[in-house]
């Protein structure tokens, strides 16, 4: 840093040290227009606090999941006076916690004890893959972060009730796909009816972003409240029906030809809509399913009766 200037000045190596970015990354940001060019002083390039602040902004937005192309749009909007404070507030609101639950830590010894006392490396690997556990590095003893203690507690109770760990993780994978479909539909619904007016500009104006952040804060609990209410209703209806089925021998079982609902990912539904339109989705899915079933039946038959030359 220069001692002759009132404002701090950095060489590129110093800027890299203070920002946490590499020299190569800094030069790449300059080439992409994300970082202003340094001031030339003789044979040296000189950077200032504005460069350091910009590098920290970029790092923060990358951590929040933004691409470099999106970051460039945001920073250009800010540089032209449209403001970035509201946008960053919206980003912070969306990336903030969607639950009051707080993460906890658990040792490997305690984890093994909760699941019968026998170490199961495959179960640990699956739990880490699913994000139920996160490894904490650089510890003398093996330790994990538990993002959702409630979710782990459910797994412990199911295991104690006799459910195998493989079945628990398989159920969680299935449940997660279905819940992500519900979340996607809620986002599509609110975007169409609530947030569309805030997203007319790309990136949104500072005022629109600030108002949208306030709206996110208001709507945040609605998704969970709606799912909780509907899950309670469905469990009440289906659990009663399920109990009657097992306790009353006179209750007829469901007919095999009755339609049954199947949850499809939102992306799949949109792709089918693009092919056949909204009105043809059900028929298309049914036809595709029947064709696959017929194909597998034919494959099975030919496998058992190969052709002889």
């Amino acid at each position: 840093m220069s001692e002759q200037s009132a404002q701090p000045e950095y060489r590129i190596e110093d800027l890299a040290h203070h920002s946490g970015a590499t020299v190569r990354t800094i030069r790449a940001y300059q080439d992409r227009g994300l970082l202003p060019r340094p001031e030339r002083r003789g044979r040296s390039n000189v950077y200032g606090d504005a460069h350091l602040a910009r590098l920290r902004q970029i790092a923060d937005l990358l951590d929040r999941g933004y691409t470099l192309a999106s970051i460039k749009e945001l920073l250009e909007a800010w540089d032209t006076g449209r403001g970035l404070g509201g946008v960053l507030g919206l980003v912070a609101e969306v990336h903030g916690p969607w639950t009051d639950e707080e993460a906890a830590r658990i040792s490997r010894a305690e984890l093994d004890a909760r699941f019968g006392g026998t170490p199961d490396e495959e179960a640990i690997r699956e739990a880490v893959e699913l994000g139920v556990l996160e490894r904490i590095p650089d510890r003398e003893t093996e330790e994990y972060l538990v993002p959702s203690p409630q979710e782990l507690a459910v797994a412990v109770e199911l295991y104690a009730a006799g459910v195998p760990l493989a079945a628990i993780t398989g159920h969680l994978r299935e449940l997660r796909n279905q819940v992500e479909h519900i979340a996607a539909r809620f986002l599509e619904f609110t975007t169409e009816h609530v947030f569309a007016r805030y997203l007319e500009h790309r990136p949104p104006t500072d005022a629109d972003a600030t108002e949208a952040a306030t709206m996110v804060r208001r709507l945040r609990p609605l998704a969970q409240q709606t799912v909780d209410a509907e899950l309670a209703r469905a469990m009440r209806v289906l659990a009663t029906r399920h109990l009657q089925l097992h306790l009353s021998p006179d209750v007829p079982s469901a007919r095999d030809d009755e339609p049954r609902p199947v949850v499809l990912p939102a992306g799949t539904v949109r792709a089918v809509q693009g092919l056949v339109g909204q009105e043809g989705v059900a028929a298309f899915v049914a036809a595709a399913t029947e064709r696959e079933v017929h194909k597998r039946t034919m494959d099975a038959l030919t496998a058992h009766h190969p052709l002889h030359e």
Side-chain angles (χ1 to χ4, degrees):
M1 293 175 62
S2 171
E3 296 179 357
Q4 300 176 349
S5 173
Q7 297 295 327
E9 295 180 350
Y10 310 91
R11 297 175 303 167
I12 192 169
E13 292 83 4
D14 299 324
L15 184 65
H17 172 73
H18 285 282
S19 67
T22 65
V23 170
R24 182 177 180 180
T25 297
I26 292 173
R27 288 177 174 149
Y29 288 167
Q30 289 175 179
D31 294 340
R32 298 189 66 153
L34 289 163
L35 191 68
R37 292 286 177 179
E39 182 181 346
R40 189 74 176 176
R41 299 268 184 84
R43 295 184 177 181
S44 301
N45 290 325
V46 177
Y47 298 83
D49 273 348
H51 294 91
L52 181 59
R54 176 59 60 90
L55 285 172
R56 288 171 176 168
Q57 286 174 340
I58 294 172
D60 181 62
L61 290 169
L62 285 172
D63 287 342
R64 297 177 187 274
Y66 277 72
T67 65
L68 288 177
S70 298
I71 293 172
K72 184 177 181 181
E73 287 185 5
L74 290 173
L75 295 176
E76 285 176 349
W78 188 35
D79 289 340
T80 55
R82 289 175 58 188
L84 189 60
V87 173
L88 291 180
L90 176 58
V91 171
E93 198 64 48
V94 171
H95 282 268
W98 287 77
T99 175
D100 295 332
E101 189 177 15
E102 295 184 0
R105 294 190 177 198
I106 188 171
S107 68
R108 176 60 188 268
E110 184 181 359
L111 191 62
D112 290 341
R114 290 194 186 185
F115 290 94
T118 303
D120 189 331
E121 299 301 328
E122 178 62 20
I124 293 290
R125 184 195 65 77
E126 284 201 275
V128 171
E129 181 182 329
L130 286 166
V132 176
L133 300 175
E134 296 179 7
R135 297 185 189 276
I136 301 178
D138 304 324
R139 294 281 171 176
E140 293 183 2
T141 58
E142 193 173 349
E143 194 172 356
Y144 296 89
L145 181 71
V146 185
S148 173
Q150 292 179 3
E151 193 169 52
L152 182 63
V154 170
V156 171
E157 288 297 326
L158 289 174
Y159 182 81
V163 183
L165 283 174
I168 294 173
T169 55
H171 177 70
L172 177 57
R173 290 181 189 277
E174 180 183 355
L175 180 64
R176 184 167 293 180
N177 287 334
Q178 294 172 343
V179 171
E180 287 178 357
H181 171 72
I182 294 172
R185 288 294 301 121
F186 186 82
L187 288 172
E188 291 169 359
F189 170 78
T190 53
T191 297
E192 177 183 357
H193 296 284
V194 179
F195 291 104
R197 59 182 176 271
Y198 302 118
L199 304 176
E200 294 176 352
H201 306 94
R202 288 185 56 116
T205 65
D206 197 53
D208 281 348
T210 300
E211 193 173 347
T214 302
M215 189 62 67
V216 170
R217 198 175 307 116
R218 287 177 53 192
L219 297 181
R220 184 192 299 274
L222 297 188
Q224 184 168 349
Q225 290 172 4
T226 303
V227 171
D228 286 348
E230 283 301 309
L231 179 61
R233 181 200 61 79
M235 287 298 295
R236 183 175 65 253
V237 172
L238 296 180
T240 300
R241 191 179 303 165
H242 196 71
L243 187 63
Q244 289 175 344
L245 179 66
H246 285 80
L247 296 183
S248 303
D250 296 334
V251 176
S253 59
R255 293 173 50 189
D256 289 339
D257 58 350
E258 288 183 350
R260 300 178 185 178
V262 176
V263 177
L264 296 176
T268 301
V269 175
R270 286 194 296 269
V272 175
Q273 287 176 348
L275 290 172
V276 299
Q278 175 65 40
E279 67 284 353
V281 170
F284 181 91
V285 171
T289 304
E290 289 182 8
R291 184 174 65 178
E292 181 65 19
V293 171
H294 291 159
K295 177 180 179 300
R296 294 192 180 193
T297 302
M298 294 297 293
D299 289 345
L301 289 171
T302 55
H304 284 87
H305 300 281
L307 295 174
H308 298 283
E309 295 182 357

